[in-house]
Amino acid sequence: MTNYPFFRQGTIFVDNSAIQRNSENKNSLSIENIFGRFPKEFFQFFSINVSKSTTKKSSVVIKPSTITAPWLENEYLDSNTSLLSVHSIQPSFIGMSDFAIGLDPSLKRILPEIRFRLDFQHLKSIAKGATSTIKVVTHRDKITDAKIYYAAKVYRKTKTSHKKRLNTMVYFLREWSIQPKLDHPNILKVICPCVTLTSVFNKSAGFCLVQEYCPQGDLFKQIEEKVLTLEDKCCYLKQILQAVAYLQSQRIAHRDLKPENILIGRDGLLKLTDFGTSEIVGNPGDNESIRFVSGAVGSLAYLAPEAFHENEYCGLLADRWSCGILLKVLFTGYFPFKTSVKTDLYYSKYMSILTDTCGISSTDESSFQTEVIKQIPTLQPLRYIPEGAKKIILSLLNPDSQNRPSLDSILGTAWVRKLDCCSNFSTDHENKSLQEVDFDASKPITRKSLIPRIHNHQTLV
Ligand SMILES: Nc1ncnc2c1ncn2[C@@H]1O[C@H](COP(=O)(O)OP(=O)(O)OP(=O)(O)O)[C@@H](O)[C@H]1O
């Protein structure tokens, strides 16, 4: 049987809309394109003065040296590339040990449970992503003396090109401004953003996001190692749907849904992460003013077809497609298409069956499904998965974005409602013993090495 093998996907950014060239041929950030997409809390950390602005195609171009981040210790970008210049530092932000943390008082309002200063000890690096290195750090609680483990996502300082540096910066700012706002058991908790000072990490200060530590690594590993039972997969399907439904309700387009970005939490629950390419596309509850996104941003095999052929498209609907690919990979271990473009053999076949059978949303939905499964080798493994899961996957993989069902409607179907799903909503991830976190995410995973996970199954909906 021909199948598109499953392999780790890197995130791509083919999105030039955020970075523009100004009249002096220098890159500049456009307020509308970048900062317009951040929630208002963002402006509590950065003060923006437009020293000289030009209105061009309804966007204001910010000149270099006009965005200040007073909480930062030193200048992040040098004079040749300066877009951010940092003028002041408040002494209390300077950390005490080799890994230091600085929190703006306004951030404390958002994350009130975080103490002002924390000392972290660096243990080891466990993974490398496209923009960051993930390190395990510990903090000793002064009152209980318990050792608490966190994952620190340290953004790499790329020296290669100005544009790459800007991308990393934008990546950090997006994650930082979106992820801490989210509150859902299936979304990775961000403890706080911070700045690493002259430290064990590198010689100079850099951006970092302290997150809850997920010692069992990511979902990619579990799919690759084939350690999941059908019961696990059904439970995960429901958790993924819950996470994405929550994001859709918050009007956040994730834009990089894939197993590499789903971690297994210490409570055994899935935790969606990596909001570096995400966008806030509207206000919760407001269906009228959803802003479109542009560019082929994300990971190739998961990108919706419209990302390749439309200038602008709805990021929320594109996420539904990516969710369909993700679930297909979860159940079968293979991609359905290499990329959803006409030059892809199986995608073009999929499209032609769609035309012949008058589409997925036609009344005879099941005959379309039978036909694609029969004719497209990469979809044939769907025969062996539960009927309910098969229907969800194929309904999300609708090239007509408007006809992809909402995640809420899927969660409301009888099959999903009946699915048992882990629902340990405890946030007590900090009080686990040292032994429990001794599991090393960088080591290969086997069914035996998994923390014995008792499905805390409850039917939620
Ligand atoms: N909190 C965490 N606990 C344990 N492992 C983690 C954590 N965060 C990330 N990782 C591991 O590090 C890998 C890379 O993390 P992440 O995707 O956040 O980095 P990135 O630089 O944004 O990379 P990319 O854009 O390539 O996805 C993840 O796939 C996961 O295996």
Side-chain angles (χ1 to χ4, degrees):
M1 193 190 294
T2 322
N3 266 317
Y4 286 140
F6 173 55
F7 58 91
R8 274 194 190 267
Q9 297 268 308
T11 306
I12 53 160
F13 306 85
V14 188
D15 180 13
N16 292 326
S17 63
I19 297 166
Q20 301 178 342
R21 293 222 151 229
N22 65 15
S23 51
E24 288 148 25
N25 210 24
K26 280 189 180 156
N27 284 329
S28 45
L29 298 171
S30 122
I31 289 182
E32 246 186 26
N33 285 337
I34 295 210
F35 296 102
R37 294 173 187 188
F38 289 126
K40 60 181 185 313
E41 284 87 348
F42 176 83
F43 296 96
Q44 294 173 342
F45 312 121
F46 287 86
S47 54
I48 299 179
N49 312 301
V50 181
S51 58
K52 190 179 166 198
S53 64
T54 48
T55 310
K56 204 165 138 195
K57 285 189 201 153
S58 80
S59 68
V60 183
V61 175
I62 309 170
K63 290 286 189 180
S65 307
T66 58
I67 309 169
T68 61
W71 51 271
L72 258 184
E73 183 222 17
N74 66 349
E75 201 170 274
Y76 178 66
L77 298 167
D78 61 34
S79 54
N80 294 328
T81 57
S82 74
L83 275 168
L84 287 187
S85 77
V86 180
H87 300 308
S88 62
I89 173 168
Q90 297 182 13
S92 51
F93 295 142
I94 301 172
M96 298 181 293
S97 69
D98 59 0
F99 188 91
I101 187 163
L103 281 183
D104 189 291
S106 51
L107 185 68
K108 280 179 77 189
R109 277 209 305 276
I110 302 171
L111 298 164
E113 77 279 15
I114 303 300
R115 271 144 299 171
F116 186 58
R117 282 182 178 194
L118 298 175
D119 283 327
F120 288 98
Q121 200 191 354
H122 171 229
L123 288 187
K124 61 180 168 186
S125 301
I126 50 164
K128 250 187 181 180
T131 51
S132 63
T133 304
I134 311 296
K135 291 158 189 283
V136 180
V137 294
T138 56
H139 165 66
R140 199 169 278 285
D141 189 291
K142 294 229 163 64
I143 300 161
T144 62
D145 202 39
K147 222 175 186 184
I148 304 168
Y149 287 73
Y150 295 105
K153 179 166 183 172
V154 183
Y155 294 80
R156 267 194 299 283
K157 283 181 144 191
T158 162
K159 294 213 164 78
T160 46
S161 72
H162 183 171
K163 191 167 169 194
K164 275 202 173 154
R165 293 175 83 166
L166 279 179
N167 272 340
T168 307
M169 182 73 197
V170 170
Y171 206 92
F172 167 73
L173 292 176
R174 282 201 169 128
E175 288 208 286
W176 181 34
S177 57
I178 294 176
Q179 212 167 341
K181 273 171 58 110
L182 303 174
D183 183 18
H184 190 275
N186 296 122
I187 307 272
L188 189 78
K189 296 250 173 315
V190 165
I191 312 299
C192 51
C194 71
V195 181
T196 63
L197 300 183
T198 43
S199 68
V200 283
F201 296 149
N202 53 30
K203 288 265 152 53
S204 52
F207 294 112
C208 172
L209 215 54
V210 181
Q211 313 170 327
E212 67 178 289
Y213 174 44
C214 297
Q216 295 195 64
D218 59 40
L219 180 59
F220 182 94
K221 244 186 195 175
Q222 294 201 346
I223 299 174
E224 194 185 33
E225 299 286 336
K226 300 188 172 67
V227 293
L228 297 172
T229 63
L230 189 58
E231 187 197 19
D232 292 332
K233 289 177 185 177
C234 289
C235 171
Y236 282 180
L237 166 135
K238 195 159 175 176
Q239 293 189 52
I240 292 167
L241 293 174
Q242 283 169 181
V244 183
Y246 171 74
L247 286 188
Q248 304 242 318
S249 74
Q250 298 300 303
R251 302 290 180 263
I252 289 167
H254 185 279
R255 307 194 77 195
D256 203 6
L257 294 172
K258 57 180 177 181
E260 294 89 323
N261 289 338
I262 298 181
L263 304 172
I264 319 298
R266 307 236 323 256
D267 48 10
L269 295 189
L270 296 189
K271 310 281 175 182
L272 180 59
T273 185
D274 202 351
F275 289 79
T277 49
S278 303
E279 299 225 12
I280 297 165
V281 295
N283 298 317
D286 178 4
N287 283 332
E288 299 304 312
S289 47
I290 296 201
R291 213 174 28 79
F292 277 20
V293 297
S294 63
V297 176
S299 303
L300 274 182
Y302 298 87
L303 279 181
E306 61 269 24
F308 295 104
H309 59 73
E310 302 281 347
N311 284 338
E312 287 199 315
Y313 57 93
C314 176
L316 300 180
L317 299 180
D319 269 0
R320 294 183 193 176
W321 173 279
S322 310
C323 191
I325 304 272
L326 169 52
L327 296 177
K328 156 78 172 76
V329 163
L330 168 68
F331 276 91
T332 70
Y334 293 100
F335 291 125
F337 320 113
K338 247 187 219 155
T339 38
S340 308
V341 291
K342 283 187 187 137
T343 48
D344 182 279
L345 178 67
Y346 295 133
Y347 181 72
S348 72
K349 203 158 186 185
Y350 187 67
M351 292 295 284
S352 65
I353 299 170
L354 205 67
T355 319
D356 294 348
T357 55
C358 305
I360 299 176
S361 38
S362 71
T363 43
D364 199 5
E365 187 179 295
S366 63
S367 80
F368 165 77
Q369 297 189 343
T370 317
E371 209 49 41
V372 288
I373 290 177
K374 198 165 85 193
Q375 289 198 37
I376 301 179
T378 50
L379 292 176
Q380 279 165 11
L382 291 179
R383 272 192 196 135
Y384 310 107
I385 77 168
E387 193 62 23
K390 185 180 87 184
K391 278 196 175 145
I392 293 171
I393 293 168
L394 288 175
S395 65
L396 289 169
L397 294 183
N398 193 331
D400 178 359
S401 63
Q402 295 297 330
N403 282 319
R404 286 171 207 150
S406 77
L407 280 291
D408 279 335
S409 71
I410 296 177
L411 282 167
T413 58
W415 185 76
V416 179
R417 281 169 56 184
K418 273 199 219 123
L419 269 188
D420 283 338
C421 175
C422 285
S423 58
N424 175 10
F425 282 6
S426 153
T427 52
D428 190 27
H429 63 274
E430 295 184 354
N431 297 325
K432 301 278 160 75
S433 73
L434 178 62
Q435 240 183 351
E436 263 183 292
V437 294
D438 233 0
F439 187 95
D440 185 348
S442 61
K443 284 193 186 136
I445 185 169
T446 62
R447 182 129 202 109
K448 243 178 147 185
S449 66
L450 287 171
I451 295 173
R453 187 157 50 82
I454 301 140
H455 279 284
N456 179 19
H457 277 159
Q458 284 168 26
T459 308
L460 283 179
V461 200

